[in-house]
Amino acid sequence: MKRPEPLLTLLAGLVLGVFLLSLNAATGTRTASAEQKNPPGATVSPAASAAPGASASPSSPDPSSPGSSPSSSPAVRPVPDADYAGRTDDDSSAVAVSLRNGKAIAYFCDGHDKESWLKGDVGSDGALKLTGRGGAELNGTLDDGRRIRGTVDLGGRRYGFTADRAVKPSGLYRATSTVRGAKIDGGWIVLPGGRQVGVVDRDGTPSKAPAIDPETGAVTIDGHRIVARPVTP
């Protein structure tokens, strides 16, 4: 009887071949799956490999966010309410200015027959530009609330002036009335020290004004007693 060695050898070869084919198929599947996730030459970043929900590093703060406060501009100080009175540089006339709530009214007079009422606004920087009838103009600057320096243009002339802060009874006064059928409009400037400069207009004719009582404002014009009151804008 022949020995079955060739048959056993053939069977062993078949089993080994099947085993190798199965092993190669399994290895190829795993390798292809891995290559699809990470193709050759690709670099995996730490952020990509981080677990879902992980946050990136904090970015720079947004300048417009509430946490960043831009530098605020300095607050503008309001121009103080006050009265000012003084003389022109040539000492020929007087000037008074009254400031209230950013508005100004001024009076220029020489105490004889020249006068002008002017008004306008006060800039946040203390600059004044006031205008009156006949092209009259006052330009000035408030000096730290203590005085006003400037010019008055009137009747073709320019008058430089300085008006210091006034304390009652110094300041600007005005009275209007009708006396003996004539319309009266009087203006007075009471200077520091008590000196008065004023003009009374009677139906368009100006002349030197009589003195007023600084405490009460009382004044007698053409035998008629009227009251001059402090002027504010």
Side-chain angles (χ1 to χ4, degrees):
M1 182 176 180
K2 284 187 177 182
R3 297 175 62 184
E5 292 180 358
L7 181 59
L8 291 176
T9 302
L10 179 61
L11 289 175
L14 290 174
V15 171
L16 179 61
V18 171
F19 174 75
L20 291 176
L21 288 173
S22 300
L23 179 63
N24 183 50
T27 305
T29 301
R30 286 196 301 269
T31 304
S33 176
E35 288 180 353
Q36 287 178 357
K37 291 184 180 179
N38 300 299
T43 303
V44 180
S45 63
S49 61
S55 59
S57 59
S59 58
S60 302
D62 184 357
S64 61
S65 65
S68 53
S69 51
S71 57
S72 57
S73 26
V76 177
R77 296 175 58 187
V79 176
D81 296 345
D83 300 311
Y84 300 83
R87 302 283 298 177
T88 56
D89 295 346
D90 61 4
D91 201 34
S92 68
S93 307
V95 179
V97 184
S98 179
L99 308 181
R100 295 293 186 278
N101 299 318
K103 302 290 185 180
I105 188 167
Y107 183 56
F108 170 97
C109 77
D110 64 356
H112 300 287
D113 56 5
K114 188 178 294 184
E115 65 171 348
S116 180
W117 291 93
L118 310 100
K119 61 182 179 180
D121 296 328
V122 185
S124 58
D125 57 354
L128 294 88
K129 185 168 185 175
L130 316 181
T131 57
R133 291 181 180 177
E137 189 172 298
L138 182 151
N139 291 280
T141 303
L142 183 60
D143 182 10
D144 199 26
R146 296 175 299 174
R147 63 179 59 89
I148 295 174
R149 300 182 189 274
T151 59
V152 173
D153 292 291
L154 179 65
R157 289 189 57 186
R158 172 166 292 182
Y159 303 83
F161 74 91
T162 300
D164 294 322
R165 189 159 184 168
V167 178
K168 296 297 182 187
S170 297
L172 178 57
Y173 297 81
R174 190 173 192 175
T176 56
S177 184
T178 300
V179 177
R180 297 177 182 177
K183 184 178 179 181
I184 302 295
D185 187 356
W188 289 264
I189 297 173
V190 179
L191 297 166
R195 182 182 175 185
Q196 296 185 23
V197 182
V199 169
V200 170
D201 186 293
R202 295 176 178 85
D203 282 339
T205 302
S207 62
K208 182 177 180 178
I212 64 173
D213 180 347
E215 298 299 327
T216 64
V219 59
T220 301
I221 297 176
D222 299 338
H224 186 78
R225 185 176 181 273
I226 62 177
V227 176
R229 303 190 184 281
V231 177
T232 56

